[in-house]
C-alpha cells in the first residue's frame, strides 16, 4: 500500500516550484542579452542552466521525500546518460579537453551544457507521469512557439515589439527575431507547428466524440480481455483499462465547448508559426517540415484504414515526387533559365542550388568531418573540437570559406568529434525514441494517438533539419523535451518487455540506504550545494562576457579583463587580442612604445596559454603567427616565435593560408557572341578568391545570381538563349565567403557595346 507523504505541505511546495521552473526553462528562446557578447547565445545558455540547476536541486529534495518522484525505468534515459559518458571519455582523449568541457562564448555547449540537459530530462521523466502532464509540456512548447511567431510577424511588419525592436538581423530581409539567425528560428518553429497541429487534431477528435465512441465499444477491447488471452495479454488489457479510467474523468469534466475552442486555438497557433517560418525563409527548416509531413504520410499509409489510408498513400507519392523534382533542380537545372518570384525570401528559398556558397561551405565541412572521423574513428577529436577537424582536413573552397567550428550537420559532427562510440549512442538513442513513438501510437486511445503521432513528426523534422545546422541552447531544449516525451511513452510502447532494473538484493540494499535520514539529508545538501556553485560560476561567466570587453577605449587592454574573468571560455577574446594587435602593431608602437610592449607581453602570455590548452586551435596559432611576424619586423627578437607559430599553423591547417593576399576583383570581364547566337562571358580568375559570382539585372526583373564558380579553371560562362546584353547587364565579383567580397566589375561597361 502506498504510504502517505511524511511532509505533504513541503512536497506540494516543492512540486509546484519544480513545475514553475520547467515553465521558466521553456522561455529560454525569448532571452536576448544585448549587454553580453553573442547576445543570442550566451544569455540563453546562462538562463537555462541557472533554472535547470535550481529545478534539479528542488527535484532532488522532492525525490528524497517521496520515492514516487524518483527516476523510472527508462531505456532512453540510459542511452542519453551513455552518450554523455562516451562524450566525457572522448573529451579526455581528445585534442582539447578543456574546450570539450566548456566550449566557447560563441556556442556555449560542451559537457557542462550537456550535463544540464541530461539533468532536465531526468527531472521531466520523473515528475511528469500522466498524459495530462505531458500534454501540458507539449502545450508549453507550442505556446512559446506561437509567442515567438507573433513577435516575428510583428517585427516583419514594422511593429514596435518591446525589447526586440533594435535587434540586428543576420540575413535581411529574412527574419531571425529573438533567435538571431533565421535558420535557428525556422528549426524552432518547425517543432512547434507539429505539436500545435497534434493538439488541434486531438481537440477535434475529442470534440467529435472519438474517445467516447471508442470507450462505448471497448468492453472487449480495453475493459475485459479475450477469454483465451495469455497472461502477458491480460496484463496489457488491464493496463489499457486503467489508463482509460484515469483519462475518463478529465474528459467528462471538460466543458462541452472547450475541445472546439482548443482546436481553433491550436490551429491558429500552427498557422501563425507557419507564417513566421515563411518569413524566416530557411531551406533546412522547410526540408524538416517536408520530412515531418512524409512521416505522417507513412504512418497514415501503414496504420490507417479505408479512405484515410488511400489519402495518406497518395500524399506520400506526391511528396516523393516533389522531393525528386527539388533534388534534380538543386543539382542539375540551370537556375538562370527558371522564373523566380520577386519576393526576396521566396527567391532565396527557390534559388537553392549546390553552387550556393552556403551549400558549398557545408559540403566542405562535411567532407572534412568524414576525413576526421576516418583519422580518429574510435573516440574522435573530442566534443566541441570540430574547428580542429575543419582546419586539419578542409580543402578546396573550404580553404577560403569562413571557418566552421560546427559541421552544420549533427550526424557528421557527432562522428568526427566522438567517433564510432558516440555515433552508436546517438543513433541508438534517437532510433529508440522513434520506435517508442511508433509503438505507442498503436496502443493508445484515438485522440492521444493523434497527438503522439504529430509529436513524432516534430521529432523527425527536428532530426532532419539538424543535419543542415547545429545545436544552440534553444535546439538543445527542444531535443531534451522530445527525448523526455518519448521516454514517457516507453510504458505504453514496451509494456510487455520491461523487467526489473536491478537485482532484488541490490534494490533492497538501495532502499535501506535511502531510508537512512542522514543519507537523505546529505544528498539533499549536495543537490542544493551544486546549484549554488553553478549559480556562482554563471555569475562569473556573465561578468566576463560583458560587451564592454570588446568595445570602448582602449579596446585591447579591456580584452585582458574578459580573459582573466573566466579563462576557460576566453578563446574568442584571445583571438580578438592577437588579431587586433597584429593589425594595429605598427601604429601602437610608433605612438606609445611602452604600451606596445605591455600589449605584446599580454599577447605572448595568451599565445603560450593557447598553445598549452588549445593545442589544435589553428585560428589562435594563425593569429599569433601574424602578430609575431609583424612584431619581428620592428623587434627581431620575436622572429623565433613567428616561425614557431607559423610552422604550427601550417601543421594544424595545411590548406588554410596564414597570410591572405588582398582580394582583387576579376580582371577583364568581357562578352562575345558565339556562332550559335548566344553570348559568352569571360574573365581572368583573381588571386586569393574562394569563388566568383555573376549577377544579372535589368529588363524589369530583380537582380539575381546566375553563377557561382569555385574552380579557378572556369573563366567563362555561356548565357542562356534569349539573354541579350543590350537590355540586361552583368557584373562579377570575387569573394572569400559571403560578406567578404571584392568590388564589382560590370559588362557591358558604360559606353561599351555588347560585343565589346
Amino acid at each position: 500500500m502506498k504510504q502517505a507523504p511524511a511532509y505533504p505541505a513541503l512536497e506540494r511546495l516543492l512540486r509546484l516550484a519544480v513545475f514553475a521552473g520547467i515553465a521558466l526553462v521553456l522561455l529560454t528562446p525569448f532571452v536576448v542579452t544585448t549587454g553580453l557578447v553573442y547576445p543570442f547565445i550566451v544569455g540563453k545558455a546562462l538562463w537555462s542552466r541557472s533554472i535547470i540547476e535550481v529545478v534539479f536541486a528542488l527535484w532532488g529534495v522532492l525525490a528524497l521525500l517521496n520515492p514516487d518522484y524518483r527516476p523510472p525505468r527508462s531505456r532512453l534515459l540510459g542511452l542519453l546518460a551513455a552518450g554523455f559518458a562516451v562524450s566525457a571519455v572522448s573529451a579526455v582523449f581528445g585534442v582539447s579537453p578543456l574546450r570539450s568541457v566548456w566550449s566557447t562564448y560563441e556556442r556555449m555547449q560542451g559537457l557542462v551544457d550537456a550535463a544540464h540537459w541530461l539533468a532536465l530530462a531526468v527531472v521531466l521523466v520523473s515528475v511528469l507521469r500522466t498524459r495530462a502532464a505531458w500534454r501540458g509540456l507539449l502545450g508549453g512548447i507550442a505556446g512559446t512557439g506561437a509567442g515567438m511567431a507573433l513577435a516575428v510577424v510583428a517585427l516583419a511588419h514594422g511593429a514596435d515589439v518591446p525589447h526586440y525592436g533594435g535587434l540586428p538581423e543576420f540575413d535581411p530581409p529574412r527574419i531571425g527575431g529573438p533567435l538571431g539567425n533565421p535558420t535557428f528560428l525556422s528549426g524552432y518553429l518547425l517543432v512547434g507547428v507539429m505539436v500545435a497541429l497534434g493538439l488541434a487534431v486531438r481537440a477535434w477528435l475529442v470534440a467529435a466524440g472519438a474517445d467516447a465512441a471508442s470507450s462505448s465499444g471497448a468492453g472487449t477491447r480495453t475493459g475485459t480481455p479475450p477469454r483465451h488471452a495469455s497472461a502477458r495479454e491480460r496484463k496489457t488489457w488491464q493496463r489499457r483499462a486503467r489508463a482509460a479510467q484515469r483519462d475518463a474523468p478529465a474528459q467528462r469534466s471538460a466543458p462541452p465547448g472547450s475541445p472546439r475552442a482548443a482546436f481553433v486555438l491550436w490551429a491558429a497557433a500552427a498557422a501563425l508559426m507557419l507564417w513566421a517560418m515563411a518569413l524566416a525563409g530557411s531551406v533546412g527548416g522547410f526540408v524538416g517540415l517536408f520530412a515531418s509531413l512524409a512521416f505522417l504520410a507513412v504512418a497514415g499509409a501503414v496504420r490507417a484504414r479505408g479512405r484515410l489510408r488511400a489519402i495518406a498513400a497518395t500524399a506520400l507519392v506526391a511528396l516523393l515526387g516533389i522531393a525528386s523534382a527539388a533534388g534534380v533542380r538543386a543539382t542539375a537545372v540551370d537556375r538562370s533559365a527558371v522564373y523566380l518570384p520577386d519576393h526576396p525570401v521566396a527567391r532565396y528559398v527557390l534559388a537553392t542550388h549546390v553552387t550556393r556558397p552556403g551549400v558549398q561551405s557545408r559540403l566542405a565541412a562535411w567532407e572534412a568531418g568524414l576525413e576526421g572521423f576516418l583519422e580518429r574513428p574510435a573516440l574522435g577529436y573530442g566534443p566541441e573540437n570540430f574547428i580542429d577537424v575543419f582546419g586539419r582536413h578542409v580543402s578546396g573552397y573550404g580553404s577560403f570559406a569562413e571557418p566552421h567550428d560546427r559541421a552544420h550537420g549533427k550526424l557528421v559532427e557527432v562522428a568526427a568529434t566522438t567517433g564510432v562510440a558516440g555515433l552508436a549512442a546517438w543513433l541508438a538513442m534517437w532510433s529508440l525514441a522513434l520506435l517508442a513513438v511508433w509503438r505507442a501510437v498503436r496502443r493508445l486511445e484515438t485522440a492521444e494517438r493523434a497527438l503522439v503521432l504529430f509529436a513524432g513528426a516534430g521529432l523527425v523534422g527536428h532530426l532532419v533539419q539538424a543535419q543542415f545546422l547545429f545545436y544552440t541552447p534553444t535546439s538543445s531544449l527542444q531535443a531534451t523535451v522530445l527525448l523526455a516525451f518519448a521516454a514517457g511513452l516507453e510504458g505504453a510502447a514496451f509494456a510487455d518487455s520491461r523487467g526489473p532494473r536491478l537485482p532484488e538484493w541490490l534494490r533492497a540494499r538501495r532502499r535501506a540506504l535511502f531510508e537512512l535520514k542522514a543519507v537523505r539529508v546529505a544528498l539533499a545538501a549536495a543537490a542544493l550545494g551544486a546549484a549554488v556553485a553553478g549559480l556562482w560560476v554563471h555569475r562569473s561567466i556573465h561578468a566576463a562576457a560583458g560587451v564592454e570587453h570588446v568595445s570602448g577605449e582602449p579596446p585591447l587592454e579591456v580584452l585582458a579583463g574578459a580573459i582573466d574573468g573566466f579563462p576557460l571560455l576566453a578563446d574568442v577574446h584571445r583571438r580578438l587580442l592577437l588579431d587586433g594587435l597584429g593589425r594595429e602593431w605598427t601604429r601602437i608602437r610608433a605612438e606609445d612604445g611602452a604600451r606596445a610592449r605591455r600589449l605584446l607581453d599580454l599577447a605572448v602570455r595568451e599565445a603560450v596559454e593557447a598553445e598549452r590548452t588549445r593545442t589544435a586551435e589553428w585560428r589562435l596559432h594563425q593569429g599569433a603567427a601574424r602578430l609575431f611576424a609583424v612584431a619581428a619586423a620592428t623587434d627581431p627578437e620575436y622572429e623565433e616565435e613567428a616561425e614557431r607559430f607559423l610552422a604550427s599553423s601550417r601543421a594544424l591547417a595545411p590548406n588554410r593560408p596564414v597570410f591572405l593576399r588582398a582580394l582583387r576583383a576579376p580582371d577583364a570581364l568581357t562578352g562575345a557572341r558565339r556562332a550559335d547566337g548566344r553570348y559568352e562571358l569571360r574573365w581572368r580568375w583573381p588571386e586569393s578568391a574562394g569563388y566568383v559570382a555573376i549577377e544579372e539585372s535589368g529588363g524589369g526583373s530583380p537582380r539575381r545570381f546566375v553563377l557561382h564558380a569555385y574552380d579557378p579553371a572556369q573563366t567563362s560562362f555561356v548565357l542562356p538563349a534569349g539573354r541579350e546584353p543590350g537590355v540586361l547587364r552583368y557584373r562579377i565579383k570575387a569573394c572569400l565567403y559571403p560578406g567578404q567580397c571584392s568590388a564589382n566589375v560590370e559588362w557591358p561597361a558604360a559606353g561599351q557595346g555588347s560585343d565589346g
Side-chain angles (χ1 to χ4, degrees):
M1 179 180 294
K2 182 179 179 180
Q3 296 181 353
Y7 306 95
L10 178 59
E11 181 179 322
R12 286 195 299 270
L13 181 62
L14 289 171
R15 188 169 180 269
L16 180 62
V18 169
F19 283 131
I22 294 172
L24 290 175
V25 173
L26 295 181
L27 298 178
T28 296
F30 293 92
V31 177
V32 179
T33 49
T34 54
L36 303 181
V37 294
Y38 301 107
F40 299 106
I41 297 295
V42 176
K44 289 179 174 61
L46 295 180
W47 169 271
S48 59
R49 292 179 190 179
S50 300
I51 302 299
I52 290 171
E53 287 164 0
V54 174
V55 167
F56 188 79
L58 296 176
W59 164 80
V61 177
L62 180 63
L64 292 171
L65 288 176
N66 188 340
D68 290 341
Y69 294 105
R70 294 172 190 172
R73 291 171 290 181
S74 171
R75 295 179 176 89
L76 271 173
L77 284 183
L79 285 174
L80 184 59
F84 178 81
V86 169
S87 295
V89 175
S90 175
V92 172
F93 295 99
V95 296
S96 181
L98 285 178
R99 186 182 178 117
S100 294
V101 173
W102 289 100
S103 185
T104 64
Y105 286 117
E106 191 175 5
R107 303 304 176 201
M108 295 295 288
Q109 298 280 290
L111 292 177
V112 168
D113 196 64
H116 285 78
W117 297 116
L118 173 60
L120 179 62
V122 171
V123 172
L124 291 177
V125 177
S126 300
V127 301
L128 303 180
R129 296 295 186 92
T130 66
R131 294 177 194 167
W134 286 112
R135 284 197 301 271
L137 180 66
L138 293 180
I141 289 290
T144 53
M148 179 70 68
L150 183 62
V152 167
V153 170
L155 288 171
H157 291 81
D160 184 16
V161 180
H163 190 59
Y164 300 135
L167 297 182
E169 287 296 345
F170 177 77
D171 190 14
R174 300 165 63 211
I175 301 295
L179 298 188
N181 191 319
T183 55
F184 297 148
L185 174 64
S186 186
Y188 170 72
L189 294 174
L190 163 64
V191 176
V193 167
M194 288 296 110
V195 172
L197 287 175
L199 291 168
V201 172
R202 180 190 180 278
W204 179 78
L205 291 172
V206 171
D211 281 356
S214 175
S215 299
S216 63
T220 61
R221 187 176 70 85
T222 58
T224 304
R227 183 175 181 180
H228 301 291
S230 64
R232 176 177 294 181
E233 290 174 337
R234 288 179 179 276
K235 290 182 179 180
T236 302
W237 285 99
Q238 293 170 0
R239 176 185 53 77
R240 292 179 180 176
R242 289 194 299 269
Q245 293 172 1
R246 183 174 62 249
D247 288 349
Q251 295 169 7
R252 288 196 298 267
S253 63
S258 60
R260 293 182 177 86
F263 168 75
V264 174
L265 176 65
W266 292 121
L272 184 63
M273 285 184 276
L274 283 171
W275 186 2
M277 282 187 68
L279 294 173
S282 169
V283 178
F286 286 122
V287 171
L289 181 62
F290 189 92
S292 295
L293 297 176
F295 174 82
L296 293 174
V298 169
V302 174
R303 300 286 193 200
R305 296 289 183 271
R307 182 179 300 177
L308 184 58
R309 186 173 192 174
I311 293 174
T314 303
L316 180 60
V317 172
L319 289 171
L320 291 175
I322 294 172
S324 300
V328 170
R329 187 182 185 281
T331 56
V333 174
D334 182 2
R335 294 177 297 138
S336 63
V338 179
Y339 171 77
L340 295 175
D342 291 342
H343 193 278
V345 174
R347 190 164 67 248
Y348 173 86
V349 174
L350 295 177
T352 300
H353 198 268
V354 292
T355 60
R356 178 180 284 180
V359 177
Q360 286 291 311
S361 65
R362 280 172 169 79
L363 292 175
W366 295 350
E367 182 180 0
L370 292 176
E371 291 183 6
F373 170 68
L374 293 175
E375 182 192 12
R376 300 172 66 112
L379 291 170
Y381 274 64
E384 297 301 298
N385 291 327
F386 187 82
I387 186 64
D388 308 320
V389 181
F390 185 83
R392 184 173 180 83
H393 295 286
V394 76
S395 60
Y397 173 58
S399 300
F400 296 92
E402 191 171 11
H404 280 357
D405 65 344
R406 290 292 187 275
H408 287 72
K410 191 64 178 177
L411 196 64
V412 175
E413 183 170 334
V414 170
T417 57
T418 59
V420 172
L423 185 63
W426 191 85
L427 290 174
M429 179 180 66
W430 287 109
S431 297
L432 182 61
L434 289 172
L435 181 62
V437 169
W438 187 260
R439 293 191 60 173
V441 164
R442 65 180 181 179
R443 301 188 178 197
L444 297 173
E445 296 78 12
T446 303
E448 297 300 327
R449 187 184 308 161
L451 176 58
V452 170
L453 191 63
F454 275 89
L459 190 155
V460 170
H462 169 84
L463 289 177
V464 169
Q465 68 87 28
Q467 305 317 311
F468 306 95
L469 202 57
F470 50 86
Y471 274 9
T472 66
T474 299
S475 46
S476 294
L477 168 63
Q478 283 192 329
T480 302
V481 170
L482 291 172
L483 274 173
F485 177 72
L489 295 173
E490 288 186 71
F494 307 110
D496 300 338
S497 60
R498 292 166 62 84
R501 180 172 48 179
L502 295 173
E504 181 57 35
W505 65 271
L506 187 57
R507 297 170 66 194
R509 291 189 178 184
R510 188 188 63 175
R511 284 195 299 268
L513 181 64
F514 277 106
E515 288 176 358
L516 297 176
K517 185 176 181 180
V519 172
R520 294 202 303 270
V521 170
L523 291 174
L528 294 173
V532 172
L535 293 175
W536 179 83
V537 170
H538 300 331
R539 183 173 178 271
S540 299
I541 294 175
H542 186 280
V547 72
E548 66 271 12
H549 293 125
V550 294
S551 63
E553 292 292 341
L556 295 178
E557 280 84 353
V558 171
L559 287 170
I563 296 172
D564 295 334
F566 203 82
L568 298 172
L569 281 169
D571 278 6
V572 62
H573 297 100
R574 291 190 179 104
R575 293 206 312 269
L576 291 172
L577 173 64
L578 296 172
D579 293 341
L581 185 56
R583 288 191 304 268
E584 300 292 329
W585 170 254
T586 303
R587 180 187 62 81
I588 294 175
R589 189 178 185 281
E591 294 177 354
D592 189 342
R595 181 192 174 207
R597 177 62 61 180
R598 290 195 303 271
L599 286 172
L600 194 57
D601 289 343
L602 174 63
V604 169
R605 185 194 75 178
E606 295 308 322
V608 171
E609 178 65 15
E611 194 175 24
R612 184 180 68 86
T613 61
R614 301 293 195 265
T615 310
E617 226 295 18
W618 53 272
R619 292 177 298 179
L620 289 170
H621 288 251
Q622 284 193 346
R626 289 189 290 265
L627 168 60
F628 293 131
V630 174
T634 56
D635 298 80
E637 64 266 28
Y638 291 102
E639 289 181 356
E640 183 179 349
E641 284 82 356
E643 293 175 359
R644 179 161 57 89
F645 280 102
L646 179 61
S648 63
S649 297
R650 289 172 174 168
L652 295 172
N655 295 318
R656 295 284 301 194
V658 179
F659 302 98
L660 286 174
R661 298 180 181 179
L663 183 62
R664 297 186 294 103
D667 292 334
L669 179 65
T670 60
R673 188 185 295 273
R674 305 195 322 167
D676 59 4
R678 298 166 69 181
Y679 278 89
E680 181 179 26
L681 299 181
R682 298 170 185 160
W683 64 90
R684 285 199 294 269
W685 191 277
E687 295 179 351
S688 301
Y691 65 91
V692 297
I694 296 179
E695 290 180 291
E696 178 187 81
S697 62
S701 299
R703 185 181 300 278
R704 59 180 176 178
F705 287 104
V706 297
L707 175 71
H708 290 93
Y710 296 87
D711 185 359
Q714 182 175 1
T715 57
S716 66
F717 174 65
V718 179
L719 298 177
R723 294 295 199 265
E724 292 292 334
V727 177
L728 301 172
R729 302 188 67 83
Y730 297 87
R731 67 182 189 181
I732 189 172
K733 63 182 177 180
C735 300
L736 296 177
Y737 46 85
Q740 292 291 323
C741 299
S742 71
N744 286 288
V745 177
E746 293 198 10
W747 179 80
Q752 181 183 23
S754 60
D755 293 321

